Amino acid sequence: MNVSDRTILEQIERKVGRPVPHRWNGERCVELDLTAEDSLFSGLIRRHSPSEKDEIMQLIGHLTALKHLNLRRNKLHQLPANFENLSELEQLNLGSNYLGSVPPEIRHFQQLKYLQLANNDITILPEFIGSYRQLEYLTLHKNINLKSVDALAPLTSLKSLNLYFLNLVRLPAFVYRFNRLVTLTLWNMRDFTDDLATLGNLEYFSVCGTPSLRELPPALTQLKKLRMIRVFQNSLDRLPGDFGELENLEQISLYQNQLTQLPESMARLQKLKKLNLGWNRLARLPEFIARLPVLEWLAVFENPLDPAGESPRFAPTTTVLREWPFTTLAVPGK
Amino acid sequence: MSPQPSSFPGQKNPPLKAALLYSSQHGKTRKVVAQVVKQLWIAPDVFDVANGVDHTTLAACDLLLFFTPTYGDEELHEDMENFLANFNVNLSTRCFVICELGNYYGYDFAFGAMPILRRRLLELNGTELCTPLSLDSLPKLNWAHLTRWIDHVNQALHERF
Ligand SMILES: Cc1cc2nc3c(=O)[nH]c(=O)nc-3n(C[C@H](O)[C@H](O)[C@H](O)COP(=O)(O)O)c2cc1C
């Protein structure tokens, strides 16, 4: 098809039925975004018919200079064969499209730095995913039947990896070698090894939804760059004694665990702004919490706090959530 | 002191027409709805939106109560989305109430089914009766949290109708 990108974009917008955010480099369309917050279900063609979706996707397949393409939340179910022409893509968001597999059409996209494949009913990762040597950001969350991520082993450039809500039980050993990781998101995962300490660049770490996780991995407190830890919905009944050595922590979510006390070392968390202790088993709050100098937000709802016990006096700049709010929409400081 | 739900006059018999619409994939929302119906001051007609709902019936209601899980990746459950995509009733003289099920309180930002539903119901000129509920339901559901909210709904009903 020997038609200009401008003509193709006009056709796309006509079929989508509204303007589609995009960016030009000269006469070439280099960015296209089919997801918008002002659209009720986000995906601009989510409610289009399968044949309309196919026509639009065929047109997109002709925009061969695209570097960024966001197709999130469009329930596409499939990609057209000419999608393979988009091999200049550096950022591709295919989240929530129920594709059933990692689409073979993206096999040769060697420029990819960012790839979003969440919520696509993916059950197997193909070998070719390991060939994206430039890939820095990969999210595979919500592919609940994905049992193995072994094909990711060669992706040593990754800085961000999201494996939330998959069907894994142990973290594969090769992930401990991804020492550039800044963000790691896990779910229902236990038996961490001391090799966790090699992930010294981690700033954001989540491991949630693990009913058998009663203790945090001891090596965690060696990850001194950590700024945020989300370890909610596990069965943690204690925190490591040296937890407070994570002095760069700004946010901690311990919501829905079994904690009865907090280690005194947490008094050293001088940068901590948000602390979620909701739905635990704390009978009293230690004094030091009130002395954390920059604490803005503290949730303690749904703990058996002794009403007769002394409660620390918090600074007026700290919002303390003692009652469980009905919605996170209404939570101040969020 | 505010009146307790059990002391409301005309319990289960107010001059109010209400419908409760829900969707459910694995049954938790259905269980929640069963509990709500027991504890609510009014007796709404209950519809699983997967079975189709006559919109003219809904247009005759003073109050619509919505219960839906969040699915996908912070999206509306499919049945509720299909219902909502075709729901065009003018709600200007009507109130609505929303409860979403999912995982909310471990995070520090708001997302999920409720903001989507709420936005559409406000676009249709509905009035939100009271604070909606984000109910954590996976793996555990805190029934006391639900009970407190139903009391809150009963209180709002009492004040408005
Ligand atoms: C595949 C799957 C995806 C889910 N996605 C979300 C989500 O994105 N956000 C959320 O808050 N809860 C999510 N949940 C949690 C459900 O909303 C929760 O389990 C709910 O109780 C299901 O209700 P039901 O049993 O009536 O279908 C998800 C659950 C499943 C099984």
Side-chain angles (χ1 to χ4, degrees):
Chain A
M1 189 160 102
N2 200 3
V3 185
S4 74
D5 281 8
R6 289 192 189 270
T7 308
I8 293 170
L9 192 73
E10 270 171 30
Q11 292 175 4
I12 291 173
E13 291 193 323
R14 208 172 309 129
K15 288 183 190 292
V16 172
R18 55 162 279 169
V20 178
H22 60 273
R23 201 170 68 81
W24 296 100
N25 182 4
E27 286 306 298
R28 302 307 309 270
C29 183
V30 290
E31 288 185 21
L32 193 66
D33 195 345
L34 268 84
T35 307
E37 286 306 312
D38 66 352
S39 170
L40 187 62
F41 303 115
S42 296
L44 297 184
I45 58 173
R46 185 176 173 109
R47 305 293 309 174
H48 284 49
S49 69
S51 61
E52 288 166 332
K53 286 179 187 181
D54 189 51
E55 287 170 24
I56 293 164
M57 290 305 298
Q58 294 274 356
L59 286 166
I60 291 174
H62 291 286
L63 297 173
T64 54
L66 277 176
K67 290 200 179 297
H68 296 190
L69 177 59
N70 184 0
L71 295 168
R72 187 173 182 217
R73 291 194 175 153
N74 279 300
K75 289 196 171 177
L76 294 175
H77 293 281
Q78 57 186 28
L79 299 179
N82 74 349
F83 200 83
E84 68 181 15
N85 297 336
L86 306 184
S87 57
E88 297 294 310
L89 279 173
E90 292 173 6
Q91 292 195 16
L92 176 59
N93 192 333
L94 288 169
S96 290
N97 278 302
Y98 302 89
L99 295 170
S101 64
V102 179
E105 292 80 8
I106 72 169
R107 171 189 297 264
H108 299 297
F109 289 11
Q110 295 302 324
Q111 312 297 324
L112 282 176
K113 291 197 173 105
Y114 171 109
L115 180 59
Q116 233 274 39
L117 288 168
N119 193 27
N120 270 301
D121 297 334
I122 295 168
T123 53
I124 295 172
L125 291 182
E127 285 299 310
F128 70 75
I129 203 164
S131 70
Y132 300 144
R133 298 302 165 97
Q134 320 234 33
L135 202 62
E136 294 181 351
Y137 179 105
L138 175 64
T139 165
L140 285 164
H141 64 277
K142 302 288 182 79
N143 287 295
I144 54 171
N145 293 313
L146 186 55
K147 291 195 174 84
S148 164
V149 292
D150 288 353
L152 305 181
L155 298 180
T156 50
S157 297
L158 280 177
K159 291 184 178 161
S160 178
L161 178 60
N162 189 336
L163 302 176
Y164 183 78
F165 226 76
L166 308 187
N167 203 346
L168 312 173
V169 174
R170 279 174 193 84
L171 193 61
F174 64 81
V175 175
Y176 296 116
R177 294 196 303 273
F178 288 180
N179 56 13
R180 295 191 195 170
L181 279 178
V182 174
T183 305
L184 180 61
T185 308
L186 307 170
W187 181 80
N188 198 10
M189 189 92 51
R190 56 190 157 84
D191 301 337
F192 293 91
T193 72
D194 286 346
D195 292 336
L196 189 64
T198 58
L199 300 180
N201 283 312
L202 272 187
E203 293 180 26
Y204 305 91
F205 178 70
S206 309
V207 55
C208 309
T210 315
S212 58
L213 192 68
R214 297 183 59 192
E215 272 183 83
L216 288 174
L220 188 77
T221 49
Q222 295 181 47
L223 305 177
K224 306 288 187 216
K225 289 190 183 170
L226 280 175
R227 297 170 62 191
M228 188 207 76
I229 294 185
R230 278 194 194 128
V231 284
F232 59 81
Q233 292 177 331
N234 298 310
S235 299
L236 302 177
D237 53 20
R238 78 202 79 142
L239 295 176
D242 58 353
F243 192 65
E245 285 183 21
L246 295 172
E247 289 179 3
N248 285 309
L249 280 176
E250 293 168 23
Q251 287 189 44
I252 307 173
S253 177
L254 288 157
Y255 165 74
Q256 209 181 122
N257 276 291
Q258 316 274 351
L259 296 172
T260 52
Q261 54 185 9
L262 302 172
E264 285 292 323
S265 67
M266 283 179 75
R268 286 165 58 188
L269 300 177
Q270 303 285 300
K271 295 183 183 173
L272 194 63
K273 291 185 186 153
K274 290 186 178 176
L275 176 59
N276 189 342
L277 297 169
W279 203 355
N280 271 284
R281 296 188 176 173
L282 298 166
R284 57 172 284 275
L285 293 178
E287 270 298 322
F288 69 76
I289 296 194
R291 292 196 301 273
L292 294 171
V294 294
L295 191 66
E296 293 167 2
W297 186 87
L298 171 70
V300 292
F301 60 81
E302 209 64 22
N303 276 287
L305 291 174
D306 178 4
E310 287 267 304
S311 174
R313 279 237 286 273
F314 290 93
T317 47
T318 308
T319 301
V320 183
L321 220 63
R322 293 176 197 277
E323 301 298 323
W324 202 337
F326 290 138
T327 161
T328 50
L329 273 186
V331 175
K334 286 216 168 187
Chain B
M1 208 181 93
S2 56
Q4 290 307 301
S6 54
S7 68
F8 286 167
Q11 191 176 5
K12 300 263 179 194
N13 193 23
L16 174 71
K17 207 161 161 26
L20 187 157
L21 302 118
Y22 76 93
S23 69
S24 182
Q25 187 78 31
H26 290 106
K28 274 250 175 94
T29 313
R30 196 170 291 116
K31 273 192 196 158
V32 163
V33 165
Q35 178 60 33
V36 170
V37 169
K38 270 191 219 155
Q39 200 191 322
L40 208 58
W41 170 49
I42 54 165
D45 294 329
V46 178
F47 302 96
D48 178 345
V49 294
N51 301 330
V53 193
D54 176 11
H55 291 195
T56 48
T57 312
L58 301 182
C61 288
D62 307 294
L63 173 70
L64 300 175
L65 303 113
F66 291 86
F67 288 75
T68 179
T70 299
Y71 266 98
D73 186 15
E74 301 163 16
E75 290 151 70
L76 206 52
H77 180 242
E78 188 173 17
D79 293 337
M80 192 54 84
E81 177 176 326
N82 289 338
F83 165 82
L84 199 65
N86 299 308
F87 185 55
N88 266 317
V89 173
N90 182 351
L91 299 178
S92 56
T93 56
R94 295 168 182 82
C95 286
F96 66 85
V97 169
I98 307 175
C99 167
E100 63 180 352
L101 281 83
N103 275 317
Y104 304 102
Y105 296 93
Y107 299 90
D108 51 20
F109 51 93
F111 57 85
M114 184 260 287
I116 304 173
L117 251 172
R118 187 169 188 255
R119 171 171 159 189
R120 181 68 187 140
L121 300 174
L122 290 172
E123 273 171 10
L124 294 170
N125 296 316
T127 303
E128 193 165 32
L129 179 73
C130 60
T131 313
L133 179 65
S134 305
L135 183 63
D136 271 11
S137 57
L138 187 75
K140 290 195 287 182
L141 194 152
N142 189 307
W143 291 94
H145 196 213
L146 177 67
T147 302
R148 286 191 289 267
W149 179 73
I150 307 174
D151 279 351
H152 171 70
V153 177
N154 279 332
Q155 187 66 46
L157 282 169
H158 182 70
E159 280 161 17
R160 185 165 185 109
F161 295 102

